[in-house]
């Protein structure tokens, strides 16, 4: 960097490309056939029929040369693998938790945590739900309550920390049910279903001050913690000069443990863990992990997976990495805004969320507007996106009624270190094409509904 004044310095990725994966180019006719065969559900498309895959940022990152080198250092012992100890050291150093139990991915950790801490009838408050997290809480007999601030349910609201907890909502729950019915508050960083929106450290500290005297734990869903730390660095007064690494450490310090899907922030294709500070909770987790995942030193993973995860954890908290990661998401979001596309704002950490209610105002929620829009985007250009609206929200397990979430979104999730700026341009153009023809979209009807997490496997037909 030089010291000239008033000159432009664009940023670019802090890596160069060593190997490429070739993509298949398809025609609109091919894609029309493929989406019908997939029951208008992008989860049921074959990946080889997809051009730019924005289904998820989960397990889709490009690993670094160091991580690939780590794969070769896999110690595939059944017990006490060297790679487990590397992972344990990374979790202790970077996040500050005392104990770590590896799991095959995030939901493995959610299952164990829910079984350890939740008694039937308990209340689990959280800053919005995540699909698998809430389901494991419910399967353990818990009842989830949303205590996120109201602003989070409004896609157009510009609050800088839409992941914040409304302490008033929590206080109402405590007064109604008693603190003893609330084993922990589940805090997500950043909040996926709200559009990748962060929680502030000020809010987390206030939550800690409220819950600690009541004996209520805070359990983090730390899946995208480095992205949350980036927003704190950029937006929260007093944190502008702090490193992502130190902010990540501080976030964890106000919590009692965490579940992690390492397939996101930690830059691996598979893996997760449960991290804990309490030795009794850890003992319980050790008892359960052998039932559901594997021995407590591998938890369903190969040694090489744990090595790649340990290295990925360190890479994920680099300031340069995070600037490029979120920078790419912001670039795409700005393109969309310039084209007048209604998206969740502020732009979130892991993707762009199109507001289908404003994109397709002529469709009621019963016509699955986000599901229909995701199908149209695929037909237009071969980009694969995901519904995050009424299909994902599912049904109330007690009454069987559909949830009608305020947010009806299509998620364009950006894998880490995978696509280029030119890919972002193609995506923005495709969304604009569909937007110009939006009145032609008529909606869908559901013709098959699975019992659990229906968005993964449900099938739809076009409304004629
Ligand atoms: N928590 C959050 C916030 C998540 O986004 C996910 C996964 C999980 C937990 C579960 O982790 O998949 O490793 O079992 N989210 C993916 C997504 C599936 O596409 O958003 P997992």
């Amino acid at each position: 960097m030089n010291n000239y004044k008033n000159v432009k310095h664009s940023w670019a990725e802090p890596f160069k490309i060593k190997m490429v994966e070739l993509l298949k180019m398809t025609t609109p006719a091919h894609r029309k056939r493929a989406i019908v065969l997939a029951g208008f559900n992008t989860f049921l498309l074959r990946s080889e029929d997809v051009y730019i895959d924005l289904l998820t940022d989960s397990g889709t990152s490009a690993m670094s040369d160091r991580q690939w080198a780590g794969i070769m250092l896999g110690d595939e012992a059944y017990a006490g693998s060297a790679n487990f100890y590397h992972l344990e050291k990374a979790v202790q150093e970077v996040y500050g938790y005392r104990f770590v139990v590896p799991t095959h991915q995030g939901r493995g950790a959610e299952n164990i945590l829910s079984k350890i801490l939740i008694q039937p009838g308990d209340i689990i408050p959280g800053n919005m739900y995540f699909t698998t997290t809430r389901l494991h809480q419910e399967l353990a007999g818990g009842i989830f309550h949303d205590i996120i601030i109201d602003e989070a349910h409004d896609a157009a609201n510009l609050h800088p920390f839409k992941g914040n907890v409304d302490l008033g909502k929590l206080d109402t729950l405590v007064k109604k049910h008693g603190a003893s019915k609330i084993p922990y508050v589940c805090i997500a960083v950043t909040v996926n279903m709200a559009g990748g929106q962060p929680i502030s450290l000020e809010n987390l500290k206030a939550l800690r001050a409220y819950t600690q005297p009541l004996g209520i734990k805070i359990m983090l869903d730390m899946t995208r913690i480095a992205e949350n730390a980036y927003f704190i660095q950029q937006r929260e007064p007093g944190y502008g000069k702090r490193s992502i690494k130190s902010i990540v450490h501080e976030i964890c310090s106000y919590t009692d443990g965490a579940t992690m899907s390492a397939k996101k922030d930690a830059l691996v294709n598979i893996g997760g863990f449960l991290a804990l500070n309490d030795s009794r909770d850890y003992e319980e987790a050790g008892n359960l992990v052998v039932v559901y995942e594997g021995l407590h030193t591998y938890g369903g993973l190969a040694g090489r997976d744990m090595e790649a995860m340990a290295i990925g954890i360190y890479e994920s908290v680099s300031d340069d990495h995070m600037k490029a990661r979120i920078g790419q998401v912001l670039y795409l979001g700005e393109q969309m805004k310039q084209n007048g596309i209604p998206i969740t704002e502020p732009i979130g950490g892991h993707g762009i969320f199109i507001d289908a209610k404003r994109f397709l105002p002529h469709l009621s929620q019963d016509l699955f507007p986000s599901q229909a829009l995701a199908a149209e985007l695929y037909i237009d250009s071969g980009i694969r996106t995901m519904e995050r609206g009424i299909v994902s929200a599912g049904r109330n397990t007690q009454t069987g009624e559909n949830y009608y979430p305020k947010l009806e979104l299509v998620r364009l999730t950006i894998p880490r270190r995978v696509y280029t700026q030119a890919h972002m341009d193609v995506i923005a153009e495709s969304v604009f094409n569909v937007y110009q023809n939006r009145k032609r979209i008529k909606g869908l009807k559901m013709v098959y509904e699975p019992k659990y997490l229906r968005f993964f496997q449900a099938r739809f037909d076009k409304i004629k």
Side-chain angles (χ1 to χ4, degrees):
M1 265 322 128
N2 56 42
N3 292 320
Y4 300 138
K5 292 223 164 69
N6 302 323
V7 294
K8 194 175 170 196
H9 285 297
S10 294
W11 62 270
E13 287 75 9
F15 56 79
K16 56 184 176 176
I17 296 166
K18 197 178 287 223
M19 188 162 77
V20 296
E21 178 181 335
L22 301 183
L23 299 174
K24 184 168 107 182
M25 310 302 280
T26 53
T27 61
H30 180 93
R31 297 194 291 270
K32 269 186 194 152
R33 268 196 312 277
I35 197 75
V36 170
L37 284 176
F40 292 89
N41 186 346
T42 51
F43 276 102
L44 301 178
L45 287 168
R46 287 175 183 233
S47 134
E48 62 177 11
D49 290 332
V50 172
Y51 174 38
I52 303 175
D53 204 345
L54 308 179
L55 186 69
T56 178
D57 62 331
S58 182
T60 53
S61 300
M63 291 207 294
S64 67
D65 50 358
R66 283 157 200 263
Q67 286 178 290
W68 279 110
I71 293 273
M72 295 306 295
L73 300 177
D75 170 7
E76 308 306 343
Y78 189 89
S81 159
N83 312 117
F84 167 75
Y85 296 101
H86 297 163
L87 173 64
E88 184 183 51
K89 184 162 169 273
V91 171
Q92 289 170 343
E93 272 182 21
V94 175
Y95 305 126
Y97 294 118
R98 291 176 64 199
F99 305 109
V100 58
V101 179
T103 57
H104 76 284
Q105 58 183 70
R107 67 199 74 180
E110 290 165 358
N111 175 35
I112 295 172
L113 180 73
S114 303
K115 284 201 162 66
I116 296 172
L117 293 185
I118 300 175
Q119 300 296 324
D122 278 354
I123 306 294
I124 313 298
N127 55 346
M128 210 174 259
Y129 79 101
F130 183 72
T131 52
T132 58
T133 321
R134 184 181 66 192
L135 182 59
H136 279 300
Q137 291 162 359
E138 290 173 347
L139 291 172
I143 302 157
F144 169 82
H145 280 272
D146 187 7
I147 54 162
I148 203 165
I149 56 171
D150 288 340
E151 287 87 337
H153 292 281
D154 174 2
N157 190 294
L158 291 175
H159 192 293
F161 290 104
K162 279 162 104 173
N164 279 357
V165 165
D166 182 335
L167 287 174
K169 289 184 188 171
L170 178 58
D171 191 50
T172 306
L173 284 178
V174 169
K175 294 223 164 83
K176 186 164 169 209
H177 302 279
S180 62
K181 277 274 175 206
I182 307 180
Y184 66 94
V185 178
C186 178
I187 293 298
V189 282
T190 54
V191 182
N192 189 354
M193 301 302 274
Q197 302 295 324
I199 179 172
S200 71
L201 266 171
E202 185 189 23
N203 186 252
L204 186 59
K205 278 194 242 180
L207 176 67
R208 187 63 157 177
Y210 177 87
T211 51
Q212 208 160 29
L214 297 172
I216 300 173
K217 292 181 174 168
I218 299 179
M219 288 295 167
L220 211 56
D221 177 344
M222 67 185 304
T223 295
R224 298 184 182 84
I225 189 170
E227 293 176 4
N228 198 115
Y230 180 80
F231 287 122
I232 288 172
Q233 186 191 57
Q234 298 300 308
R235 296 181 190 162
E236 191 157 352
Y239 287 91
K241 293 208 162 63
R242 289 272 300 275
S243 67
I244 299 289
K245 195 172 174 188
S246 78
I247 297 172
V248 162
H249 205 274
E250 185 173 344
I251 293 172
C252 297
S253 73
Y254 303 123
T255 71
D256 300 284
T259 54
M260 173 61 148
S261 169
K263 300 170 72 174
K264 284 83 166 176
D265 251 13
L267 297 162
V268 284
N269 303 124
I270 193 70
F273 58 80
L274 172 61
L276 295 162
N277 282 335
D278 184 294
S279 54
R280 271 170 311 181
D281 290 345
Y282 174 62
E283 194 183 323
E284 279 291 300
N287 283 329
L288 284 185
V289 74
V290 293
V291 180
Y292 293 103
E293 304 280 323
L295 194 68
H296 63 287
T297 55
Y298 79 85
L301 296 169
R304 51 182 173 267
D305 297 327
M306 291 189 282
E307 190 64 28
M309 199 190 326
I311 298 167
I313 287 171
Y314 288 106
E315 289 181 3
S316 74
V317 293
S318 136
D319 283 60
D320 291 339
H321 162 66
M322 241 340 122
K323 188 175 170 198
R325 156 63 174 160
I326 308 248
Q328 188 176 46
V329 177
L330 294 181
Y331 175 82
L332 177 60
E334 290 302 330
Q335 303 265 69
M336 300 258 209
K337 275 168 60 181
Q338 276 163 24
N339 288 337
I341 309 297
I343 59 171
T344 297
E345 288 188 73
I347 294 164
H350 62 306
I352 303 302
F353 291 67
I354 298 175
D355 184 353
K357 281 190 179 169
R358 281 186 286 153
F359 196 110
L360 299 170
H362 57 289
L363 296 189
S364 75
Q365 230 169 343
D366 290 312
L367 296 174
F368 308 112
S370 305
Q371 191 79 30
L373 180 51
E376 289 299 325
L377 288 170
Y378 171 71
I379 294 168
D380 182 68
S381 60
I383 63 175
R384 169 155 69 172
T385 60
M386 184 201 288
E387 195 265 7
R388 287 275 97 142
I390 184 165
V391 185
S392 294
R395 293 176 188 273
N396 183 313
T397 44
Q398 274 150 19
T399 66
E401 289 189 7
N402 271 323
Y403 289 116
Y404 283 85
K406 285 207 181 106
L407 295 179
E408 182 66 36
L409 307 173
V410 175
R411 188 179 76 170
L412 286 72
T413 343
I414 312 298
R416 295 164 186 78
R417 312 193 288 206
V418 170
Y419 292 115
T420 66
Q421 192 151 316
H423 286 117
M424 299 301 122
D425 292 340
V426 168
I427 297 162
E429 275 165 22
S430 175
V431 173
F432 190 51
N433 291 344
V434 175
Y435 189 59
Q436 285 175 309
N437 294 290
R438 63 193 181 279
K439 296 213 172 84
R440 285 197 224 151
I441 301 175
K442 292 208 179 114
L444 299 169
K445 58 175 186 261
M446 200 188 296
V447 293
Y448 165 66
E449 179 173 351
K451 192 165 164 208
Y452 296 116
L453 302 173
R454 65 182 182 185
F455 57 95
F456 283 130
Q457 287 156 329
R459 299 186 72 87
F460 301 82
D461 246 347
K462 247 190 173 165
I463 295 199
K464 299 280 171 358

